[in-house]
């Protein structure tokens, strides 16, 4: 078509590289809204690996209510269907290119949804896990087994960590970064030392940490380079009847052990808003009460989102 001497090009005639640049400005909801069905050129652009290095679902939450029995949440049927629909479209378009996979902590995936995702993301190096109330032990282990390139994980609180850490140890030889969004006791520390002794970066921010667990990882994780305990509640076990007490500051004994680290990130300040919030929530953060996206923050740069 010509108009006033100029050639008018159709959208589908745009160079693929230009379309990809445009689509890079789209979020996951826009990319999966149907633009891949406009024409073959648009579909080709929608499948470009540049668009799918990261699948960021951090804006996607389940519509759920809490219930008193396991799995302690009930997810609305329509919410589940929408998550499945979006996953199928995104994973089809990505064609196995995804290297970073980010879920919201209030996204309650089922075993089937996690497995479906893991099977189609064999190159994943970084995973920010969803809540795993509805994911069974076998489902988590099966997913880890399909991520041999995994290097970094952000995980919610877990009551029985050895099975997960053992699975990482067996299948993910380059694993080196871990963020735990929940309590960290001597059982967890000992499991970490046993199964992932080469860990380099660990973040426990805004959680409850037991002093003996902290000393254990400082003593025995010899490859550890970065440790973040900012805004944590540090607990020291005491002889009965005192049982335990909150430690108000890091003592010289621990600081001496931490001196070998490249970064030891600490904040235990009464005037710090995040420290105040962690204490108010007793070290198990209720992130829904605070600014949207605040849960993504981390003083350890390689674990921030």
């Amino acid at each position: 078509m010509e108009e006033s001497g100029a050639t008018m090009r159709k959208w589908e005639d745009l160079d693929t590289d230009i379309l990809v640049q445009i689509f890079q400005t789209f979020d996951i909801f826009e990319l999966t809204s149907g633009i891949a069905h406009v024409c073959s050129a648009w579909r080709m652009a929608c499948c470009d690996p540049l668009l799918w290095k990261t699948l960021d679902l951090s804006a996607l939450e389940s519509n759920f209510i809490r219930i008193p029995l396991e799995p302690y949440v009930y997810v609305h049927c329509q919410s589940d269907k929408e998550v499945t629909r979006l996953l199928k479209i995104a994973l089809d378009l990505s064609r196995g290119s995804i290297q970073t996979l980010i879920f919201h902590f209030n996204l309650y995936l089922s075993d089937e949804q996690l497995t479906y995702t893991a099977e189609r993301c064999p190159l994943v190096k970084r995973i920010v896990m969803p809540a795993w109330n509805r994911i069974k032990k076998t489902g988590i282990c099966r997913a880890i087994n399909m991520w041999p390139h995994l290097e970094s994980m952000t995980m919610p609180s877990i009551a029985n960590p050895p099975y997960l850490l053992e699975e990482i140890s067996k299948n993910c030889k380059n694993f080196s970064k871990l963020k735990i969004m929940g309590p960290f006791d001597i059982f967890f520390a000992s499991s970490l030392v046993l199964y992932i002794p080469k860990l380099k970066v660990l973040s426990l921010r805004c959680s409850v940490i037991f002093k003996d667990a902290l000393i254990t990882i400082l003593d025995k994780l010899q490859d550890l380079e970065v440790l973040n305990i900012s805004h944590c509640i540090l607990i020291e076990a005491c002889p009965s009847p005192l049982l335990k007490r909150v430690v108000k500051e890091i003592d010289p004994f621990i600081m001496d052990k931490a001196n070998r680290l490249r970064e030891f990130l600490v904040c235990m300040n009464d005037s710090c808003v995040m420290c105040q919030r962690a204490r108010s929530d007793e070290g198990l953060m209720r992130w829904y009460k605070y600014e949207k996206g605040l849960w993504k923050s981390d003083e350890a740069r390689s674990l921030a989102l």
Side-chain angles (χ1 to χ4, degrees):
M1 178 188 297
E2 291 189 1
E3 185 175 315
S4 302
T7 300
M8 302 297 291
R9 299 179 63 187
K10 298 180 181 179
W11 274 98
E12 60 264 32
D13 293 333
L14 280 176
D15 292 338
T16 301
D17 289 346
I18 295 175
L19 282 170
V20 171
Q21 288 182 37
I22 294 170
F23 293 165
Q24 280 181 307
T25 67
F26 291 6
D27 62 24
I28 183 62
F29 302 105
E30 292 166 328
L31 281 174
T32 56
S33 64
I35 60 174
H37 298 300
V38 171
C39 63
S40 59
W42 281 39
R43 182 166 183 83
M44 183 182 298
C46 282
C47 293
D48 193 286
L50 284 175
L51 299 178
W52 297 106
K53 287 184 179 180
T54 297
L55 177 56
D56 186 352
L57 298 174
S58 61
L60 185 64
E61 300 181 55
S62 296
N63 181 9
F64 69 97
I65 58 172
R66 300 195 182 278
I67 57 177
L69 302 175
E70 288 190 8
Y72 304 112
V73 293
Y74 170 76
V75 177
H76 193 278
C77 177
Q78 189 57 42
S79 177
D80 246 357
K81 288 181 179 178
E82 176 58 23
V83 170
T84 298
R85 184 197 69 82
L86 191 147
L87 282 173
K88 285 185 175 180
I89 296 172
L91 296 171
D92 178 51
L93 293 174
S94 70
R95 296 180 178 177
S97 299
I98 296 166
Q99 297 182 29
T100 297
L101 186 55
I102 304 171
F103 293 110
H104 194 282
F105 66 93
N106 270 345
L107 183 63
Y108 291 91
L109 289 188
S110 65
D111 264 344
E112 293 77 13
Q113 289 167 334
L114 180 64
T115 300
Y116 181 86
T117 302
E119 287 173 344
R120 289 156 181 78
C121 299
L123 301 181
V124 161
K125 295 182 178 180
R126 183 181 186 186
I127 174 76
V128 177
M129 289 293 291
W132 40 38
N133 296 54
R134 301 168 67 207
I135 305 171
K136 298 179 179 64
K137 176 179 176 179
T138 52
I140 296 174
C141 290
R142 187 177 176 188
I144 298 298
N145 189 53
M146 289 185 275
W147 290 325
H149 305 287
L150 190 65
E151 299 174 3
S152 173
M153 175 183 284
T154 294
M155 55 179 280
S157 178
I158 184 170
N160 185 30
Y163 79 85
L164 172 63
L165 300 179
E166 182 179 10
E167 203 66 26
I168 292 173
S169 176
K170 289 191 299 185
N171 295 288
C172 313
K173 301 307 179 184
N174 296 321
F175 193 85
S176 63
K177 302 179 182 71
L178 178 63
K179 178 174 180 176
I180 303 163
M181 299 177 72
F184 189 74
D185 59 13
I186 188 63
F187 179 52
F188 208 141
S190 300
S191 302
L192 198 54
V193 168
L194 176 62
Y195 292 112
I196 314 182
K198 300 296 185 182
L199 193 68
K200 293 184 178 180
V201 181
L202 176 62
S203 178
L204 306 169
R205 74 187 307 266
C206 300
S207 299
V208 171
I209 307 175
F210 286 82
K211 186 176 179 180
D212 55 353
L214 177 59
I215 292 171
T216 295
I217 59 174
L218 287 173
D219 280 342
K220 297 184 178 180
L221 291 182
Q222 291 299 311
D223 288 357
L224 195 64
E225 299 175 1
V226 178
L227 175 58
N228 183 18
I229 62 167
S230 299
H231 326 301
C232 286
I233 301 173
L234 185 60
I235 301 292
E236 182 174 22
C238 300
S240 184
L242 297 176
L243 299 181
K244 61 183 181 181
R245 71 179 183 88
V246 176
V247 177
K248 296 294 186 181
E249 59 183 3
I250 303 297
D251 60 43
F253 175 73
I254 291 178
M255 288 302 300
D256 184 60
K257 290 180 178 293
N259 278 338
R260 67 175 179 82
L261 301 176
R262 177 163 55 83
E263 290 185 278
F264 183 43
L265 302 162
V266 183
C267 180
M268 301 174 68
N269 193 328
D270 289 340
S271 63
C272 170
V273 172
M274 287 307 301
C275 286
Q276 293 170 5
R277 289 171 171 175
R279 292 169 193 167
S280 175
D281 290 346
E282 299 181 333
L284 192 57
M285 296 294 290
R286 297 172 177 85
W287 294 105
Y288 61 86
K289 298 193 305 184
Y290 307 119
E291 299 90 333
K292 185 177 180 180
L294 184 64
W295 63 277
K296 300 179 183 181
S297 301
D298 204 289
E299 290 76 13
R301 291 180 294 277
S302 63
L303 289 170
L305 296 174

